[in-house]
Amino acid sequence: MTVLSLVGARPQIIKEAVLNKEFQKAGIKEILVHSGQHYDYNMSDVFFKVLDIRQPDYNLNVGSGTHAEMTARIMIEFEKVLVKEKPDIVLVYGDTNTTLAGSLVGAKLKIPVAHVEAGLRQKPKDMPEEINRIVTDHVSSLVFCPSQLAVENLKKEGIIQGVHFVGDVMYELFLKMKPYFTYELIEQLGLKENSYIVCTIHRDFNTDVKESLETIFKELSEIAREMKVVFPIHPRTRKKITEFGLYDYARNLTLIDPVDYLAMMGLVEKSLCVITDSGGLQKEAYWCGKRAIVVMPDTGWRELIECGWNRLAEPGKIRETLDEVLKSEKVDYPKNVYGEGDASQRIVRILQICETDHNAGAVKPWR
């Protein structure tokens, strides 16, 4: 059995690396293709050291461009690889233009496509990531869902065959990396456990409009009068603070440069709670047992909102929502929302079963 994985961004590289270990154990040949959409193979990165991430077999070198230009270039170059390699299945990850392009090419060549992290849905429906998710799910033969809500989302769209709740590969990664979390930064910043907040804000809808960013920083400044707010600041956010003249509101915050994953998880694990507009950090806070205020109009990880663990908050409502979270009755920790930390094993078992059925001439080997 030959699996061809297509990646194009750092989170996809990491997910593929987790799956690759299971492919090796199962004796499955995997061909790795990088689209070049975001080429950041940094071999000094902590993930590369711990996961022993390998270089891709192919790099399509598509570079940047409009959505149409990028998707078209990936499709043209990726088709050449598929025609040459003739894999049994194409594996795509997440919601990037790379994911969309790879799924379309695989489907049109009648090669089964499997989508890892399928079934996520988020408003507004015209956002590029949402379009990529929906199209990819509908042309895929196998869809691997990180949560039960993702399964339900697909059912509403008529996708019921080839659907598997396997859990989140990133939860598996979290568990693999947990023994390596670092805590030196907590001591360096003079922080006490459960007495500070970790905050990250970087989304364009929060940073690129002065009124929104000013409102957010006013609220964070008020919160920081009562407890420390540790803010690893994204370059985009730092640039906009300077451009909009908002540093007066940032004085009360503990601004630090971005930190690596291990230090960030150490910070979150010992914090009181999290304020963020990061998709990944919403889940990582949950895995650390911390609640999060999500500064977004909607999130692809709605299961954590629906169970009451995380809360959505628009600018101007962050302080109010934080007070409600800290002063409200205790919310029971929702267990196994994203599976049990064995997503890669489940995915590999399903691929093996489907391939066995396919070779046996099953009527519907994939979907």
Side-chain angles (χ1 to χ4, degrees):
M1 182 181 185
T2 300
V3 172
L4 193 148
S5 286
L6 176 65
V7 299
R10 188 168 179 272
Q12 295 172 338
I13 295 168
I14 293 166
K15 289 167 192 167
E16 182 279 330
V18 175
L19 271 167
N20 177 259
K21 300 297 180 286
E22 291 304 315
F23 288 141
Q24 291 180 28
K25 292 177 186 177
I28 294 173
K29 178 184 178 182
E30 184 195 22
I31 300 167
L32 178 59
V33 180
H34 195 297
S35 70
Q37 178 178 341
H38 296 293
Y39 193 78
D40 55 0
Y41 267 74
N42 177 7
M43 301 309 284
S44 66
D45 187 291
V46 64
F47 291 112
F48 285 75
K49 293 177 180 178
V50 174
L51 297 176
D52 192 26
I53 294 175
R54 63 193 179 107
Q55 293 285 358
D57 299 298
Y58 293 88
N59 191 315
L60 307 184
N61 295 309
V62 299
S64 59
T66 67
H67 289 285
E69 290 169 340
M70 189 184 301
T71 304
R73 285 200 295 267
I74 296 170
M75 290 182 70
I76 291 168
E77 297 304 317
F78 188 54
E79 183 181 56
K80 297 174 186 176
V81 176
L82 289 189
V83 170
K84 177 184 176 182
E85 295 291 350
K86 298 179 176 60
D88 296 298
I89 192 163
V90 172
L91 208 60
V92 294
Y93 305 76
D95 56 16
T96 65
N97 289 334
T98 294
T99 305
L100 173 64
S103 64
L104 289 174
V105 173
K108 286 179 177 289
L109 289 177
K110 298 185 179 181
I111 300 172
V113 175
H115 185 200
V116 175
E117 201 174 88
L120 273 64
R121 295 295 182 263
Q122 180 180 357
K123 297 177 182 178
K125 292 301 179 184
D126 60 354
M127 64 188 290
E129 295 85 354
E130 184 71 1
I131 295 168
N132 294 345
R133 292 172 189 143
I134 291 172
V135 174
T136 298
D137 285 341
H138 280 264
V139 301
S140 294
S141 298
L142 289 170
V143 284
F144 297 124
C145 298
S147 68
Q148 286 290 356
L149 179 59
V151 173
E152 293 302 313
N153 289 339
L154 293 173
K155 185 184 294 185
K156 291 175 184 176
E157 296 173 12
I159 302 176
I160 54 176
Q161 292 184 324
V163 179
H164 302 272
F165 168 43
V166 297
D168 196 330
V169 175
M170 296 304 283
Y171 179 43
E172 188 171 349
L173 172 74
F174 175 87
L175 295 176
K176 288 179 185 296
M177 302 297 281
K178 191 171 182 180
Y180 304 97
F181 290 176
T182 60
Y183 305 95
E184 292 86 351
L185 192 56
I186 296 171
E187 184 176 347
Q188 292 171 12
L189 296 175
L191 304 174
K192 294 182 179 179
E193 187 171 352
N194 294 321
S195 63
Y196 64 91
I197 290 171
V198 174
C199 178
T200 68
I201 298 291
H202 75 280
R203 300 272 183 175
D204 56 1
F205 52 77
N206 283 328
T207 63
D208 292 2
V209 178
K210 180 180 179 180
E211 290 75 15
S212 295
L213 192 60
E214 184 173 7
T215 299
I216 290 170
F217 269 85
K218 280 182 179 178
E219 290 190 279
L220 293 177
S221 180
E222 292 175 5
I223 294 168
R225 290 193 179 97
E226 298 178 8
M227 68 185 77
K228 282 193 175 183
V229 176
V230 181
F231 197 132
I233 189 163
H234 191 280
R236 180 214 297 272
T237 311
R238 186 182 291 278
K239 178 183 176 183
K240 290 299 181 180
I241 289 174
T242 303
E243 180 182 330
F244 297 147
L246 301 178
Y247 264 108
D248 280 348
Y249 297 118
R251 282 180 185 164
N252 291 339
L253 311 181
T254 305
L255 295 181
I256 61 174
D257 289 331
V259 297
D260 68 30
Y261 179 85
L262 301 181
M264 187 65 176
M265 290 301 97
L267 273 177
V268 172
E269 192 176 43
K270 302 297 183 182
S271 70
L272 180 61
C273 69
V274 170
I275 298 172
T276 189
D277 61 7
S278 162
L281 194 56
Q282 297 172 42
K283 294 184 295 177
E284 289 156 354
Y286 157 69
W287 294 328
C288 286
K290 307 298 177 179
R291 299 179 69 182
I293 311 301
V294 180
V295 190
M296 298 174 68
D298 193 19
T299 172
W301 306 107
R302 286 203 63 90
E303 46 277 308
L304 294 176
I305 304 297
E306 293 188 2
C307 72
W309 186 257
N310 286 351
R311 296 279 301 276
L312 292 174
E314 61 187 35
K317 297 289 186 180
I318 299 171
R319 174 66 183 273
E320 177 184 329
T321 307
L322 177 64
D323 286 345
E324 290 173 359
V325 166
L326 297 182
K327 296 175 183 178
S328 64
E329 292 183 8
K330 188 179 185 317
V331 176
D332 291 334
Y333 183 75
K335 295 181 179 179
N336 300 331
V337 172
Y338 297 108
E340 300 177 0
D342 59 352
S344 66
Q345 297 172 39
R346 291 173 182 267
I347 289 170
V348 168
R349 282 201 298 270
I350 292 164
L351 291 175
Q352 289 175 315
I353 291 168
C354 288
E355 180 65 8
T356 299
D357 290 345
H358 176 70
N359 291 335
V363 178
K364 292 182 179 179
W366 302 97
R367 178 187 289 175

